[in-house]
Structures are given as structure tokens and as C-alpha cells.
Amino acid sequence: LGEIRVHESYATLRPQQIESAWRIAVAQLLQIATMAMVLVLIVRWLITRRLARLAAGVAQLHPLDPSARITLPHRRLLAQYDELDALVETLNRLHADRAEEASLRAQAQAALGARVREIETTLEALSDGVLALRPDGSVLYGNDTVARLLGRETDTLPGQHWTTLFTLTDEDRAAVQNHWLEQALLAGAQRHLRGGLRVAPRAAPSFIAELNAVPLPQPGDATMLLVLRDISTEIDQERQIAYQAFHDPLTGLGNRTK
């Protein structure tokens, strides 16, 4: 009977122990879940919301205003300086430096644009044709005068290679002399020629030209400025004067001076 009592007591105690263990495990799980919820709330209210405010502040910064700053609201209980405040301070310093640099760059670009417009206005007022050429021979800029000489619209000149606009020939149009300008582009040296060459546009009458190739400072998009002037009338007048100086006006024969 004693052995039966011991066996029955153990059989009764074991289910109670298992039930107690389950109760303890459930209580601990509830404690863990409660702590997890508290941590989620802390992250949600203390970190996530402040990060969202930080992102919104960064997005609202004006890129050219050095005085613009990111601010994070603090509750009374969270008034102490933390890592997010350090991050905000670093971002504010970085933005101030970048904004000042961007402002100076914008001012420089505005001044450069005004200077370019001033130069373009001056070039437009010239009676000579002006072409700004890139290293590959394509046109970067052309004024109204050169467009008129070449029989083109001014806005159609940029991007075209100069050989698609005109060719250089000798005065009697017997041979192409494009090498004069090609050598000037390759050498990057100033070259000047008055007469001797004729500019033969693709879409306009040819003319005897005074050419002036001027290299431009580097670095820059354009490497050479080509100035063209139609001197056909001048050359004809000079030749007429020279002929009259050495020929009799009535007979056309050479005079004594000749």
C-alpha cells in the first residue's frame, strides 16, 4: 500500500508541476510582449517621428540659402542633447557650406552669362562674319553677318561642320584650299590672309575674302575664332586703280610708267 501511495502522489503532483510551468512561461511571454510593445512605442515616438521630421527638414532646405536650418522639436522630457541632434547640427553646417558655395557659383554663372550676352551683342553688331569653331571643326557660334554671307539662318549654324557650310578655293576657283583653315585649327596659331582665297558657300554666291583665324584661350568649348570679310568689291577697285595707273585710258596700252 505504501508503494501505491507514493506512485499515486507523484502522478498527482506531475500535472500540477506542468500546469505551473506553463503558467510561468505564459507570464514570461506576456512580460516579453509587453516590453516589446513598450520598445516599439519608444522607437515610434522617440526615433521614427524625429527621423521623419529630419527628412522633411532636409527636403525643405533651400539650396541657395545658407541661413536655412533643420530644427527638431523637443519635448520637455527629451530636452537633452542626443545623437540625432548631433546629426542635425552636422547637416546644418554641411548645408550652410554647400549653399554658400552654390550661391557663389550661381552668381558667377549669372555674371558669365551676362558677359557672354554682351560679347554676343558686340559680335552681332560687327560688319564682319564671325564663326567660333570647336576642335573638331564644328560651329559653336555664328553671328548674323556670317549667316548672311553663307546664305543660312543664324540658328542653323551651331553644330554643323564648317566644310558643310563653305569651301575655300583659289580666286579662279580652280582648286580647293581647305587646308588653310585645317592647318590653322591643328596648329592653334593665328593666321591672316587678305585676298588670294575665295569663300564658296554651299547656299550663297562665292566672294573673295579676308580671313583671320584667331586661337582662343583654353580650356573652352571653342578653340578658334574665324573672321570673314567680303572684300570682292575692294579687290576689284584696287585692281581697276592699278590697271588705270599703268595703262592709257583711251588706248588701253601700257603707258610710260609701265
Side-chain angles (χ1 to χ4, degrees):
L1 292 177
E3 291 178 357
I4 292 174
R5 287 175 185 168
V6 170
H7 185 267
E8 289 180 348
S9 298
Y10 181 74
T12 304
L13 182 61
R14 184 174 181 182
Q16 295 177 355
Q17 291 177 342
I18 294 174
E19 183 179 357
S20 299
W22 275 106
R23 289 179 179 177
I24 294 173
V26 170
Q28 291 179 348
L29 288 175
L30 289 176
Q31 291 179 356
I32 293 173
T34 303
M35 293 179 61
M37 292 179 62
V38 172
L39 289 176
V40 168
L41 291 176
I42 292 175
V43 171
R44 173 67 180 85
W45 290 98
L46 303 185
I47 299 178
T48 306
R49 292 191 64 186
R50 297 187 70 193
L51 286 176
R53 294 286 185 89
L54 175 61
V58 172
Q60 294 173 0
L61 287 176
H62 193 284
L64 299 180
D65 185 8
S67 63
R69 297 182 61 82
I70 305 170
T71 56
L72 290 181
H74 286 281
R75 296 173 180 250
R76 293 182 179 179
L77 297 177
L78 303 173
Q80 64 181 10
Y81 189 86
D82 57 14
E83 288 77 6
L84 280 179
D85 294 319
L87 177 60
V88 168
E89 184 178 348
T90 302
L91 290 176
N92 283 330
R93 287 199 304 266
L94 179 62
H95 169 71
D97 295 339
R98 297 304 184 196
E100 184 176 0
E101 180 182 350
S103 179
L104 292 175
R105 188 185 300 112
Q107 295 175 10
Q109 289 177 348
L112 178 60
R115 181 59 177 166
V116 168
R117 289 189 295 271
E118 180 182 348
I119 293 174
E120 289 181 350
T121 302
T122 303
L123 293 176
E124 294 297 338
L126 295 177
S127 59
D128 297 341
V130 178
L131 282 177
L133 301 178
R134 297 186 178 93
D136 60 357
S138 61
V139 176
L140 178 65
Y141 167 80
N143 65 356
D144 291 339
T145 303
V146 77
R148 177 178 52 81
L149 291 174
L150 301 178
R152 303 294 183 110
E153 296 293 334
T154 306
D155 56 359
T156 64
L157 297 178
Q160 297 197 53
H161 197 273
W162 71 270
T163 55
T164 65
L165 300 174
F166 65 92
T167 57
L168 297 176
T169 65
D170 50 19
E171 287 195 26
D172 58 5
R173 308 179 190 179
V176 177
Q177 302 291 335
N178 286 344
H179 60 83
W180 185 89
L181 183 53
E182 292 171 351
Q183 291 175 358
L185 282 170
L186 290 175
Q190 183 172 357
R191 303 189 70 179
H192 177 264
L193 180 65
R194 186 180 185 277
L197 288 181
R198 181 180 292 271
V199 174
R202 307 287 185 182
S206 63
F207 56 89
I208 301 174
E210 180 178 0
L211 302 174
N212 193 14
V214 182
L216 297 176
Q218 294 299 312
D221 294 333
T223 57
M224 179 157 291
L225 206 64
L226 178 65
V227 182
L228 304 87
R229 189 162 69 92
D230 184 358
I231 59 171
S232 301
T233 303
E234 296 179 19
I235 294 296
D236 291 341
Q237 292 175 350
E238 291 173 2
R239 290 174 180 173
Q240 183 65 26
I241 292 173
Y243 181 84
Q244 292 176 356
F246 297 107
H247 292 78
D248 185 273
L250 295 178
T251 63
L253 299 176
N255 57 22
R256 294 181 180 180
T257 305
K258 179 66 174 179

